[in-house]
Amino acid sequence: MNTTQLLRYFMVRLLPVLGLLSAHAIAQNDPPGRVGRLNHTEGAVTFSPAGDNEWIDAELNRPLTRGDRLWTDKGSRAEIQIGSSAVRMDGHTQVEILALDDQSAQLSVTQGTVYVRVRSLPEGENFEIDTPNLAYRAAYPGDYRIDVDAGRGSTRVTIHSGTGAVYGEGGQALPLGGGQQITFRGRGLAQLAAQESPPQDNFDRWAAERNRREDQSVSARYVPREVVGYQQLDAHGQWSQDATHGPVWHPQGTPANWAPYRHGRWEWIGPWGWTWIDDAPWGFAPFHYGRWAMVGSRWAWVPGRIGLRPVYAPALVAFIGGGSGGVNWSISIGSGRPGVAWFPLGPGESWQPGYRASPVYISNINRNMSLANASYAHQRRPEALTAISAEDFHRGRPVRGSLLRVAANVLTSAQIVPPPPMPERSGIIGRDRTAVARAAPPQAEIRQVTASGAPAPQQAEAQRLLAEQAKAAQQAKAAEQAKAEQAKLAQQAKAAEQAKAVEQTKAAEQAKAVEQAKAAEQAKLAQQAKLAEQAKAAQQQERLAQQARAAEQARLAQAAAAAKLAQQPKAAPAPRVAQQAKPAQPAKLAEQAKLAEQSKRAEQAKREQVAKRADASKREQLAKLELAKLEQAKREQAAKREQLAKREREQAVAKRAEQSRKEALAKREEQGRRQAHAQQVELARRAAERDAQALREQRAEREEQARRVALEREQTQREAWQRQQQAISEQWRRDHQAWEEQQRERTRQRPDLRNDRRPPPQPEVWQRGIPILNPGRTS
């Protein structure tokens, strides 16, 4: 391999590695994406920025970062928001931010009282409070209180909810759980006092009220709680839904000619650079997250899809500049004076930081935005543009009193430029103080105890204890959530215990009955043995009596025989043999009696031995029977205990199954109730619609019937009028016919008056004309 190939090989192999190392180094230099904010103040609250020993009045919308310090005077209170967590300070409390970035939040409390609410604590993040005696690190979301008594040199840690651990100077760790309160003195975690579930004071109640307001925030429905300053949006504006931009927020009470980034000032805050500090009490979240748009004739803040972990930006604006000398950050504002002009970014427009940052950081801060902006919506709109002189800009003077107008031709030719550079501290231009300097809090050189100073093995042990404590806390939380179910199960268990006690009592009574039966059986056997002994003794006495009677009878028989022989007359002498036999017969009988007696005694001894062996065998059998009964009773008791244990296990399994069945049944019943309620609502709605339709039909039917009745009534009236007219006409016709007939009759009866000299008679009524009949109603 020649030199050229070797160089090419190393370039191919090393350039990607160098690129990754440089990207990692740039990512390490990225500014933190999380800051703090002073959300709320009551009384006198002072602030000292990082690297400055002067204390001034605290500003609500100035971002808080590493090195900043806050002090609350006597009777004052303050609240700091760090991500989704809240740190609340009581009077005479000093807090310094030791570290604040995306992975850790470390605060120092030299004296006073703080109430910390950690809403969320993802894996890998740390939230730590350091005091002169100890360091407290949260292991699980919860509410914690730290009281530092600088005079006594003690620290009291109260865990209202959640879990955590305290660390000593030597790395000693002590896990703490919910409800504990321990007072420590010295740096070795020496405990002075401990208490469970301590009572609440006014500061606890104030913090609980702040928690309640935070939980009821309306803006939390539209933006994540990691958006710093979201709570102030509720009282100073209203949310609405826009067809183009989605949820938007309109501020209320804005003055005339208001525009975003126009009422406030600029300040150089490291490591971001030029940072916008707005004057409005709500002016934090809308100027460091999201974008601004004109919805109709009003400005609206468009949060967009921020994400669960939003990244803080110092000011989401674009600066314009330009001139004959080339593109620069300044813009001509008349009279040859340099000026600075900017406008807010619109929805979808990416923001370019004025400091060096990695592509990952720029991508995160412009999430869901277009990274290549061809044009800006507000760049050519004079109502969106704000301009002031460069001197006012660098001195941090209020923009509202320094507004300048940019000529139309300058605005047309202006270009997008980077933010102005960092001002020279040694130059004549410096930042004007906008707040009156205040007296500093009491200072003391106190070395804080930090958890990071613990040795590695002890830290590992502490982490293990914290993990166990967190696991126990999770289990405790689950137990608290199932407290009602546990109470019910406890009642069931109590009933089971009572049933078990009853069964045990019954088993004990049964065992006692077995023991009593056993004792009775033993007594019965003993009684039987005693009766057998008595019967045996009676039999032996009876045998002895019989033997005595037999011997007495034999003796009496011998005596009777002897007497009988003595009474008989003497006979002739018998032969010698007979004479010898006579005296020998009584001796023979005596010998026979003696042999009979010995035989009886031997038989009696034999019987006694047999009876003894039978008695011993019987006793041995009784003992074996007793042992067998004891073994049987033991086996029965063991079987009963096993059966009871099995029954208890079966009952426990049955109870769990019954509980599961009841829960499933309750869920089904709840679902059924909901469905039934929905069906009832639907049926009621349909019934209401049917009723309404029926009412409409009835009303239409009544109207139609009324119309028909009116038509029929009108028709009836018309027919009656027509009949009346016909009757009148008929009556007139009949009257006219009668009149004509009467006229004809009179004409026939009229005398001839040609030769009559009398005056002519006056015309009668019928001669005056035909009376006019009532024509009635004409059709």
Side-chain angles (χ1 to χ4, degrees):
M1 181 180 293
N2 55 22
T3 306
T4 305
Q5 293 177 346
L6 184 63
L7 180 61
R8 184 179 302 169
Y9 174 80
F10 277 105
M11 290 179 66
V12 171
R13 294 293 184 181
L14 292 177
L15 282 178
V17 177
L18 292 175
L20 290 175
L21 292 176
S22 62
H24 179 71
I26 294 174
Q28 291 293 327
N29 295 326
D30 288 341
R34 184 170 59 167
V35 297
R37 176 185 184 262
L38 188 60
N39 265 354
H40 178 76
T41 61
E42 295 180 6
V45 180
T46 55
F47 164 75
S48 178
D52 198 341
N53 292 326
E54 186 177 355
W55 290 81
I56 59 176
D57 287 337
E59 296 179 274
L60 290 179
N61 292 326
R62 189 189 192 281
L64 301 177
T65 184
R66 180 178 181 179
D68 293 341
R69 293 173 294 173
L70 287 169
W71 164 259
T72 54
D73 207 344
K74 182 179 179 181
S76 303
R77 287 171 179 170
E79 177 184 283
I80 306 172
Q81 181 185 357
I82 300 176
S84 62
S85 302
V87 179
R88 300 181 174 94
M89 304 168 56
D90 202 0
H92 277 293
T93 301
Q94 181 177 350
V95 172
E96 181 180 357
I97 301 177
L98 300 180
L100 181 57
D101 52 28
D102 299 342
Q103 301 299 325
S104 63
Q106 186 177 3
L107 306 179
S108 170
V109 181
T110 307
Q111 63 177 357
T113 302
V114 294
Y115 187 104
V116 182
R117 185 187 197 188
V118 180
R119 182 177 288 274
S120 63
L121 192 65
E123 185 177 359
E125 290 191 10
N126 293 326
F127 198 102
E128 182 177 329
I129 302 293
D130 299 335
T131 72
N133 303 99
L134 53 85
Y136 174 78
R137 179 174 291 179
Y140 195 76
D143 294 345
Y144 316 102
R145 174 170 170 168
I146 310 294
D147 295 86
V148 178
D149 190 345
R152 297 179 56 191
S154 63
T155 299
R156 184 174 60 195
V157 181
T158 306
I159 312 296
H160 291 291
S161 64
T163 58
V166 291
Y167 294 85
E169 186 179 26
Q172 306 92 334
L174 177 63
L176 298 179
Q180 286 185 290
Q181 183 186 81
I182 303 179
T183 303
F184 301 91
R185 188 172 185 177
R187 297 170 175 264
L189 299 185
Q191 299 185 18
L192 291 180
Q195 186 178 1
E196 295 289 338
S197 301
Q200 293 187 350
D201 57 7
N202 292 332
F203 182 60
D204 290 326
R205 287 187 286 271
W206 177 78
E209 177 63 20
R210 296 294 301 173
N211 287 343
R212 186 189 64 80
R213 291 187 180 183
E214 182 180 299
D215 294 337
Q216 295 177 354
S217 175
V218 177
S219 299
R221 306 174 189 173
Y222 301 95
V223 295
R225 292 188 182 270
E226 293 285 342
V227 174
V228 179
Y230 72 92
Q231 301 95 330
Q232 279 66 34
L233 302 179
D234 297 337
H236 298 91
Q238 58 184 2
W239 288 90
S240 63
Q241 191 74 19
D242 185 72
T244 304
H245 306 298
V248 297
W249 180 81
H250 296 276
Q252 294 178 350
T254 56
N257 196 26
W258 183 89
Y261 302 95
R262 183 170 292 177
H263 292 256
R265 64 183 181 85
W266 291 92
E267 184 175 344
W268 184 274
I269 300 177
W272 299 277
W274 291 111
T275 302
W276 176 257
I277 302 177
D278 202 81
D279 294 338
W282 50 267
F284 194 91
F287 298 103
H288 301 289
Y289 309 92
R291 302 294 188 269
W292 284 90
M294 286 291 292
V295 178
S297 60
R298 300 173 59 190
W299 284 101
W301 180 56
V302 184
R305 292 179 293 174
I306 296 179
L308 296 178
R309 294 303 300 270
V311 180
Y312 164 83
L316 295 167
V317 300
F319 290 89
I320 62 172
S324 58
V327 177
N328 53 53
W329 58 267
S330 65
I331 190 170
S332 178
I333 57 175
S335 303
R337 292 187 302 165
V340 181
W342 62 89
F343 61 87
L345 296 178
E349 298 174 356
S350 64
W351 177 71
Q352 298 299 327
Y355 45 85
R356 188 178 181 183
S358 65
V360 176
Y361 176 84
I362 297 176
S363 176
N364 290 334
I365 206 169
N366 291 305
R367 188 181 289 113
N368 302 318
M369 302 293 174
S370 175
L371 297 180
N373 297 321
S375 61
Y376 293 88
H378 307 313
Q379 182 177 356
R380 309 299 180 189
R381 303 182 64 173
E383 64 272 15
L385 185 69
T386 304
I388 60 173
S389 65
E391 182 181 359
D392 294 338
F393 181 88
H394 285 87
R395 288 186 179 274
R397 291 172 179 168
V399 175
R400 180 172 52 182
S402 307
L403 285 177
L404 297 174
R405 182 178 180 182
V406 180
N409 57 346
V410 177
L411 181 60
T412 304
S413 61
Q415 301 177 7
I416 303 298
V417 296
M422 178 180 178
E424 294 291 339
R425 295 188 180 274
S426 59
I428 60 172
I429 300 178
R431 182 173 61 88
D432 288 346
R433 289 289 184 184
T434 59
V436 180
R438 300 296 182 186
Q443 299 293 326
E445 293 295 333
I446 300 176
R447 182 166 54 90
Q448 301 290 89
V449 176
T450 61
S452 58
Q458 295 182 1
Q459 277 192 348
E461 180 65 19
Q463 292 294 337
R464 184 184 65 79
L465 292 175
L466 287 176
E468 294 178 357
Q469 191 73 14
K471 185 176 179 181
Q474 291 178 353
Q475 294 176 355
K477 185 177 180 181
E480 288 177 1
Q481 292 176 351
K483 190 174 182 180
E485 298 179 359
Q486 285 183 352
K488 187 175 181 180
L489 291 176
Q491 292 179 355
Q492 294 178 355
K494 186 176 180 181
E497 289 293 334
Q498 292 177 355
K500 183 179 178 181
V502 171
E503 292 179 357
Q504 290 178 352
T505 305
K506 188 175 180 181
E509 291 178 355
Q510 291 178 355
K512 186 176 181 181
V514 170
E515 292 292 335
Q516 292 177 354
K518 179 180 175 183
E521 184 69 21
Q522 290 178 353
K524 185 177 179 181
L525 292 175
Q527 185 70 20
Q528 290 178 356
K530 186 176 181 181
L531 292 175
E533 289 289 337
Q534 292 176 357
K536 183 178 178 182
Q539 290 178 0
Q540 187 174 1
Q541 291 178 359
E542 183 67 24
R543 285 196 299 271
L544 292 176
Q546 289 178 0
Q547 290 177 2
R549 286 194 296 271
E552 184 67 22
Q553 290 176 0
R555 188 180 65 79
L556 293 175
Q558 289 179 359
K564 188 177 179 180
L565 289 176
Q567 291 176 3
Q568 287 179 0
K570 295 182 178 179
R576 186 175 180 84
V577 178
Q579 289 178 358
Q580 293 179 353
K582 283 182 181 180
Q585 189 172 3
K588 185 177 181 179
L589 291 175
E591 186 68 23
Q592 288 177 355
K594 185 176 181 180
L595 290 175
E597 183 67 23
Q598 291 177 355
S599 176
K600 287 179 182 180
R601 290 179 180 177
E603 184 69 23
Q604 180 68 25
K606 185 176 180 181
R607 287 178 181 175
E608 288 179 357
Q609 290 179 358
V610 171
K612 287 181 180 180
R613 286 195 297 269
D615 190 15
S617 177
K618 190 173 182 180
R619 289 179 180 176
E620 185 177 358
Q621 288 179 359
L622 289 174
K624 289 182 180 180
L625 182 62
E626 184 67 21
L627 291 175
K629 287 182 178 180
L630 289 175
E631 293 294 332
Q632 181 66 22
K634 290 181 180 179
R635 287 194 296 271
E636 289 179 355
Q637 289 179 357
K640 287 181 179 179
R641 287 194 295 269
E642 182 66 24
Q643 187 176 3
L644 287 174
K646 184 177 179 181
R647 189 180 304 167
E648 289 176 359
R649 291 193 296 270
E650 291 177 353
Q651 288 178 355
V653 173
K655 286 177 182 177
R656 289 194 294 270
E658 182 67 19
Q659 183 67 21
S660 301
R661 187 186 66 80
K662 289 182 178 179
E663 291 178 355
L665 182 61
K667 289 181 180 178
R668 288 196 298 270
E669 290 178 353
E670 181 65 21
Q671 186 177 4
R673 283 195 296 269
R674 292 180 179 177
Q675 292 179 355
H677 178 68
Q679 291 178 358
Q680 290 177 358
V681 171
E682 182 65 20
L683 292 175
R685 186 184 63 79
R686 292 180 181 178
E689 290 181 355
R690 287 196 300 270
D691 294 341
Q693 182 66 24
L695 290 174
R696 288 193 295 270
E697 293 176 355
Q698 290 177 3
R699 185 168 58 253
E701 185 177 356
R702 287 196 300 270
E703 291 176 355
E704 181 66 22
Q705 185 177 1
R707 190 178 63 81
R708 289 197 301 269
V709 169
L711 291 176
E712 291 177 355
R713 186 183 298 110
E714 187 177 355
Q715 181 68 23
T716 303
Q717 292 177 356
R718 187 181 297 110
E719 291 176 356
W721 178 78
Q722 290 178 357
R723 289 195 298 272
Q724 184 180 3
Q725 293 297 322
Q726 291 178 0
I728 293 173
S729 300
E730 184 66 25
Q731 182 65 31
W732 181 84
R733 186 182 61 79
R734 288 195 297 270
D735 292 343
H736 184 67
Q737 290 180 355
W739 179 78
E740 289 181 348
E741 184 64 29
Q742 186 178 7
Q743 290 297 325
R744 285 195 295 271
E745 182 63 30
R746 287 182 179 180
T747 303
R748 286 195 300 269
Q749 295 178 2
R750 184 180 300 168
D752 191 6
L753 300 177
R754 287 176 296 182
N755 296 325
D756 194 356
R757 300 295 182 183
R758 289 178 301 177
Q762 295 292 330
E764 297 181 1
V765 176
W766 57 273
Q767 294 178 339
R768 297 176 184 174
I770 300 174
I772 298 176
L773 301 177
N774 183 15
R777 182 178 178 183
T778 58
S779 59

